[in-house]
Amino acid sequence: MTEHKEVVIIGSGPAGLTAAIYTARANLEPLVIEGEPSSTSDQPGGQLMLTTDVENYPGFPSGIMGPELMSNFRAQAERFGAELLTKKVTRVNLHTSPFEVWVGDPSSNEPTFTAESIIVSTGAKALMLNLPKEIELVGHGISTCATCDGFFFKDQEIAVVGGGDSAIEEAMFLSRFASKVTIIHRRDQLRASKIMQDRAFANPKIKFLWNHQVTEYIGDTKLEGVKVQNVTHQTESTLGISGLFIAIGHTPNTSIFEGQLSLHENGYIKTESDSSRTNIDGVFACGDVQDFTYRQAITAAGSGCMAAIDAERWLEEQHAG
């Protein structure tokens, strides 16, 4: 039997759960289809579920663990009447009214839910090196966010993997804290813009390891170093570092919306300026699935609030009409 909802929120994390809090308080009885547990960042709670200490989220002067923060978000949404379903959306039809959402078998003729409005908050996942022990060491020396974790590496030797603008930005930021930042790049020149390259080359704390790739993590409970291989000569060496920041890009979780929602060239959902509205009336997007600039928990939560208010006002307009 297909269930009908006023608001279906696809995805959780700070954006989706903030949207749930606001729409629940507006008596819209939202359903949050939060995803399924996995070892990747598109799991319920998003990337913060793979983060240990969160020290830059306002309101927690002593910091808070990422999973605990997400548990608090979740409990607050449920307190106001949001329904949470720990399943993964496998298909959507946004070309019909009401919208159709499938959970489970995507080939079924009958959708699992229909919805007057949809808020998309499926997030983005950081591209990783996919080496053994990687997931276990995230938050214990391995990170994908310099602004989140750089503070923990004061006066330590660390490294950044990547050669684009993101990698250089991460390295520049990390140089404020670390004693030495080594950029590990598999090519002999950077892909970053000229101005970013000039800044990196001029920074005395930033060093470069050209034509190398990371092949192994050293350390069981925390990162103690990495093995690197010269891609030209195949020679191996060890780099003694306490932190490794992977900056080789992010992939938004938008595959089920392709061909329906307008996407940027990089795959992120397009939203109207100063709004969470997408190209489809009644569908809103928030958080990292549409934000490839800031990618912070606090900005994701803020955009979740925007999406909830936009959805609430849109529904009021429909009912008034």
Side-chain angles (χ1 to χ4, degrees):
M1 281 288 291
T2 301
E3 270 190 77
H4 183 71
K5 301 288 182 182
E6 283 276 281
V7 180
V8 169
I9 300 169
I10 303 175
S12 48
L17 292 174
T18 299
I21 291 167
Y22 274 77
T23 50
R25 282 176 57 83
N27 292 325
L28 294 173
E29 300 179 340
L31 168 67
V32 183
I33 307 175
E34 58 178 349
E36 293 176 337
S38 71
S39 59
T40 59
S41 55
D42 55 351
Q43 65 179 341
Q47 296 188 63
L48 281 183
M49 296 301 289
L50 302 176
T51 306
T52 49
D53 293 313
V54 179
E55 292 202 329
N56 57 0
Y57 199 90
F60 299 93
S62 300
I64 186 170
M65 300 291 278
E68 184 185 355
L69 180 60
M70 285 298 89
S71 177
N72 290 349
F73 270 68
R74 202 174 186 277
Q76 193 169 355
E78 288 183 306
R79 176 190 164 204
F80 293 116
E83 180 186 351
L84 282 86
L85 179 63
T86 311
K87 296 285 185 183
K88 190 172 184 178
V89 172
T90 53
R91 177 183 161 199
V92 294
N93 180 6
L94 306 179
H95 297 311
T96 185
S97 180
F99 304 117
E100 297 176 328
V101 179
W102 279 258
V103 170
D105 182 7
S107 62
S108 171
N109 290 328
E110 257 194 62
T112 317
F113 301 100
T114 54
E116 294 297 314
S117 63
I118 287 179
I119 295 174
V120 179
S121 59
T122 47
K125 52 180 175 281
L127 297 177
M128 304 295 279
L129 303 182
N130 297 319
L131 295 173
K133 298 193 286 189
E134 191 165 66
I135 296 301
E136 294 86 344
L137 290 172
V138 168
H140 301 280
I142 293 178
S143 174
T144 59
C145 179
T147 51
C148 308
D149 299 328
F151 180 81
F152 300 116
F153 295 91
K154 279 187 174 180
D155 302 320
Q156 297 178 41
E157 293 191 9
I158 60 178
V160 174
V161 177
D165 278 349
S166 293
I168 301 307
E169 285 173 13
E170 298 269 280
M172 294 293 293
F173 181 84
L174 292 165
S175 70
R176 302 179 194 177
F177 307 100
S179 59
K180 178 183 176 183
V181 181
T182 300
I183 294 178
I184 304 170
H185 190 38
R186 58 181 297 118
R187 297 179 178 85
D188 60 1
Q189 58 185 2
L190 298 171
R191 292 178 289 105
S193 57
K194 182 67 165 58
I195 188 168
M196 293 301 293
Q197 291 192 41
D198 290 344
R199 289 175 184 170
F201 293 141
N203 189 316
K205 285 189 176 182
I206 296 178
K207 309 299 177 187
F208 295 87
L209 189 59
W210 303 110
N211 298 313
H212 276 74
Q213 63 183 1
V214 177
T215 57
E216 186 180 331
Y217 298 123
I218 300 170
D220 293 320
T221 57
K222 67 175 183 177
L223 188 72
E224 296 169 3
V226 293
K227 283 188 179 178
V228 293
Q229 182 183 58
N230 185 304
V231 296
T232 306
H233 308 297
Q234 309 304 311
T235 54
E236 286 194 334
S237 55
T238 299
L239 194 63
I241 53 171
S242 56
L244 183 74
F245 289 78
I246 301 172
I248 56 175
H250 287 74
T251 302
N253 298 314
T254 52
S255 57
I256 62 169
F257 307 109
E258 288 174 5
Q260 300 187 72
L261 293 180
S262 292
L263 306 177
H264 292 279
E265 285 183 3
N266 57 9
Y268 289 78
I269 296 174
K270 287 183 179 179
T271 51
E272 292 178 11
S273 179
D274 300 320
S275 167
S276 64
R277 289 176 178 263
T278 68
N279 62 300
I280 294 180
D281 215 21
V283 179
F284 308 87
C286 56
D288 285 11
V289 75
Q290 54 82 230
D291 169 27
F292 49 90
T293 304
Y294 301 105
R295 291 198 293 257
Q296 299 295 304
I298 188 67
T299 50
S303 71
C305 166
M306 290 168 59
I309 292 172
D310 288 344
E312 181 188 353
R313 290 173 178 170
W314 183 83
L315 287 165
E316 282 177 3
E317 290 168 11
Q318 305 313 301
H319 294 157

